[in-house]
Amino acid sequence: MKDFKTSFFFLRLPVAISLLGHGLVRLPKLASFSEWMLTSMEKSAIPAALIVPFSYILPIAETILGILLLINFKIKYTLYSALTLMSILIFGSCSIENWSAIEAQLLHSFYLFGLFWFYEKFKTGISDHEKY
């Protein structure tokens, strides 16, 4: 592929903006976001001792992953991390039977997998320092 870098940037852009946006809107209101998450997860079997720290880490992780996707930093590991985060979110949503949230999380997961597949298929067209 001749213009891999440009194509891959525009493929990454929507999910990068989604993750970045999720994180950035939550960062200024971390305490209220944490309270909301704890309340929404109260029917879950997941203990509050895990939910509270995760609720503070999640917006930071989303922001960082969004930035890393935008700048194409160690993209393979960034995609692995984003897929892991989505899997954790899906598990949490399953625990409270929030099926509509799972749909959005699965959509993000499929999109991230598509990026990973595209990257693996066409990475031979990019320089060595950009492969990871």
Side-chain angles (χ1 to χ4, degrees), residues 10-113:
F10 283 107
L11 283 173
R12 291 189 326 267
L13 189 60
V15 76
I17 296 298
S18 178
L19 285 167
L20 183 61
H22 274 87
L24 287 179
V25 300
R26 293 171 176 165
L27 283 174
K29 53 182 182 179
L30 272 175
S32 61
F33 174 72
S34 179
E35 289 173 26
W36 170 83
M37 184 176 269
L38 192 57
T39 301
S40 68
M41 297 293 289
E42 65 190 4
K43 295 178 183 176
S44 169
I46 302 170
L50 292 177
I51 294 169
V52 172
F54 182 76
S55 69
Y56 281 94
I57 293 168
L58 177 60
I60 296 165
E62 289 171 325
T63 302
I64 291 170
L65 288 169
I67 291 168
L68 294 177
L69 280 168
L70 278 175
I71 65 172
N72 200 33
F73 182 78
K74 300 209 182 256
I75 196 67
K76 188 174 186 177
Y77 300 108
T78 300
L79 290 169
Y80 283 149
S81 299
L83 284 164
T84 300
L85 179 63
M86 286 300 134
S87 298
I88 293 167
L89 291 172
I90 290 168
F91 178 76
S93 296
C94 284
S95 74
I96 58 169
E97 299 181 63
N98 186 350
W99 310 124
S100 60
I102 293 168
E103 290 174 10
Q105 293 156 349
L106 282 172
L107 182 61
H108 276 78
S109 299
F110 287 128
Y111 198 101
L112 290 162
F113 171 77

